């Protein structure tokens, strides 16, 4: 589905018309993939549009930039304000938010340091990433023939633009084989994550998720869901998982800002089944939380 166009995009300190938010073809990040980005969601809550864990996301953007030695010429607070301003300018009650910091047109060559740093924030209405049906009934996964990155090849803890070539290869492979999404394994053979989501399995009543050392991004939804599940009384832990831990899981689900909380129906055609009670409970509390309906987690919402 094409991006649903809105009026304005924030670019380098001011709002510009959507069609004017363009870059030069010699933009450094386009050629070499050194850029950092975020994916955030705003939800319609009783008190107006509320951004879920906005400051946490912008802090992660700055952490990613630090890893890449990209010097963002704003403070965290300024980018937080830019996100709110962009949502207000477009009159949206809920949306997906994509901040990006990248290296512009300057010098060519692999050294990115001489290039100017640009920052943009785009927002648009975006439904469930893996489809309404996926959200309700679950998605079918395939273990990719592409491995997740080695942490000494690229910085897996950063949300770097170029690193997503790996995710895109895996996504296309899974889609062409008739699946909804791919699972990537680490170079050591452990389950890492999906192309844009973290993974959870339920085994013997415990909820397990791979650690960042398996190459997974430290997900903000993963963190929120871990807190929610712990508060619901479940035991939640990080653990190295083998592909057979996925095949034999009692329940499994994935989490991410774009995807939200999505049940996993099967992995490599090994059926896990309809969403189980743990998945349903976590999903229910998560969606109530992002809409501001759970007092305990109201600090996670930043109103526009
Ligand atoms: N792993 C990866 C590789 C990833 O890209 C994301 C977010 C996550 C885990 C979950 O992180 P969090 O959103 O903090 O819970 N992926 C973003 C981009 C997805 C895309 O397709 O683009 C997102 O969900 O916005």
């Amino acid at each position: 589905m094409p991006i649903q166009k809105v009026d304005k995009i924030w670019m380098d300190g001011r709002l510009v018309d959507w069609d004017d938010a363009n870059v030069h073809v010699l933009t450094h990040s386009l050629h070499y993939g050194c850029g950092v980005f975020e994916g955030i969601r705003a939800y319609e809550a009783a008190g107006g549009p509320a951004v879920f864990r906005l400051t946490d996301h912008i802090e992660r953007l700055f952490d990613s930039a630090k890893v890449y030695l990209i010097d963002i010429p704003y403070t965290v607070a300024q980018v937080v304000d830019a996100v709110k301003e962009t949502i207000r300018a477009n009159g949206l009650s809920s949306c997906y938010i994509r901040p990006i910091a990248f290296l512009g047109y300057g010098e060519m060559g692999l050294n990115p340091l001489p290039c100017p740093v640009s920052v943009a924030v785009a927002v648009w209405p975006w439904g469930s990433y893996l489809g309404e049906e996926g959200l309700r009934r679950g998605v079918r996964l395939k273990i990719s023939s592409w491995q997740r990155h080695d942490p000494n090849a690229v910085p897996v803890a950063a949300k770097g633009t170029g690193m997503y070539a790996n995710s895109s290869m895996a996504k296309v492979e899974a889609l062409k084989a008739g699946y909804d999404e791919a699972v990537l394994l680490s170079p050591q053979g452990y389950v890492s994550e999906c192309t844009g989501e973290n993974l959870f399995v339920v085994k013997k009543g415990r909820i397990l998720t791979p650690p960042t050392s398996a190459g997974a991004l430290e997900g903000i939804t993963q963190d929120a869901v871990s807190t929610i599940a712990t508060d619901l009384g479940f035991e939640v832990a990080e653990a190295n998982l083998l592909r057979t831990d996925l095949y034999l899981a009692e329940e499994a689900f994935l989490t991410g800002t774009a995807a939200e909380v999505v049940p996993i129906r099967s992995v490599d055609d090994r059926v896990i089944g309809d969403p189980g009670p743990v998945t349903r409970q976590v999903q229910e509390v998560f969606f109530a939380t992002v809409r501001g309906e759970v007092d305990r987690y109201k600090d996670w919402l930043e109103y526009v």
Side-chain angles (χ1 to χ4, degrees):
M1 213 199 299
I3 297 176
Q4 198 180 320
K5 183 173 156 179
V6 297
D7 283 346
K8 299 284 182 189
I9 289 180
W10 189 96
M11 217 172 164
D12 296 324
R14 64 196 183 91
L15 291 166
V16 300
D17 288 339
W18 179 279
D19 290 328
D20 294 335
N22 302 313
V23 295
H24 195 274
V25 74
L26 294 179
T27 296
H28 194 277
S29 293
L30 180 63
H31 294 251
Y32 305 117
C34 289
V36 295
F37 71 106
E38 270 303 319
I40 316 173
R41 272 189 191 273
Y43 291 88
E44 198 168 345
V51 187
F52 188 62
R53 301 189 64 169
L54 173 56
T55 301
D56 290 334
H57 277 282
I58 300 304
E59 281 174 352
R60 189 171 67 184
L61 180 76
F62 277 72
D63 283 349
S64 298
K66 178 177 184 179
V67 170
Y68 274 87
L69 292 172
I70 293 173
D71 200 3
I72 296 180
Y74 304 98
T75 61
V76 168
Q78 283 173 321
V79 180
V80 163
D81 283 345
V83 168
K84 294 180 180 174
E85 187 187 349
T86 312
I87 297 171
R88 278 196 301 267
N90 289 293
L92 295 168
S93 54
S94 65
C95 60
Y96 184 77
I97 303 153
R98 171 55 58 85
I100 183 167
F102 60 95
L103 300 155
Y105 161 46
E107 280 184 28
M108 194 49 84
L110 279 164
N111 177 12
L113 300 179
C115 293
V117 177
S118 269
V119 180
V121 178
V123 302
W124 67 90
W126 202 10
S128 358
Y129 190 40
L130 298 174
E132 275 304 323
E133 163 103 356
L135 204 58
R136 256 198 338 275
R137 297 200 53 226
V139 289
R140 297 173 59 246
L141 306 187
K142 179 186 177 359
I143 298 199
S144 187
S145 71
W146 296 96
Q147 265 177 13
R148 200 35 139 192
H149 308 288
D150 181 305
N152 287 318
V154 283
V156 291
K159 206 165 161 60
T161 56
M163 289 162 48
Y164 279 79
N166 174 251
S167 282
S168 290
M169 298 305 283
K171 184 80 186 186
V172 169
E173 181 186 64
L175 292 178
K176 284 196 175 291
Y179 297 84
D180 303 311
E181 177 57 310
V183 180
L184 292 122
L185 305 182
S186 71
Q188 290 72 35
Y190 294 113
V191 174
S192 178
E193 58 179 349
C194 291
T195 64
E197 303 88 12
N198 293 108
L199 268 162
F200 284 84
V201 298
V202 181
K203 284 206 86 115
K204 297 201 171 81
R206 292 171 77 214
I207 303 179
L208 304 173
T209 187
T212 51
S213 57
L217 184 73
E218 205 171 317
I220 290 171
T221 320
Q222 179 190 37
D223 176 72
V225 160
S226 297
T227 303
I228 288 170
T230 305
D231 291 344
L232 284 169
F234 295 107
E235 189 188 330
V236 183
E238 287 193 348
N240 273 321
L241 301 173
L242 299 171
R243 62 197 290 161
T244 42
D245 291 319
L246 294 180
Y247 294 170
L248 301 176
E250 288 147 29
E251 294 182 37
F253 54 91
L254 48 86
T255 66
T257 298
E260 302 171 307
V261 180
V262 176
I264 297 170
R265 280 195 79 71
S266 67
V267 180
D268 289 344
D269 303 307
R270 275 72 168 185
V271 175
I272 297 171
D274 288 329
V278 179
T279 307
R280 282 188 187 289
Q281 242 181 305
V282 167
Q283 246 188 345
E284 201 182 303
V285 178
F286 174 79
F287 283 110
T289 297
V290 296
R291 294 187 183 114
E293 293 159 15
V294 185
D295 266 359
R296 182 174 206 165
Y297 309 124
K298 60 179 186 341
D299 289 350
W300 282 343
L301 299 184
E302 291 172 63
Y303 286 86
V304 168

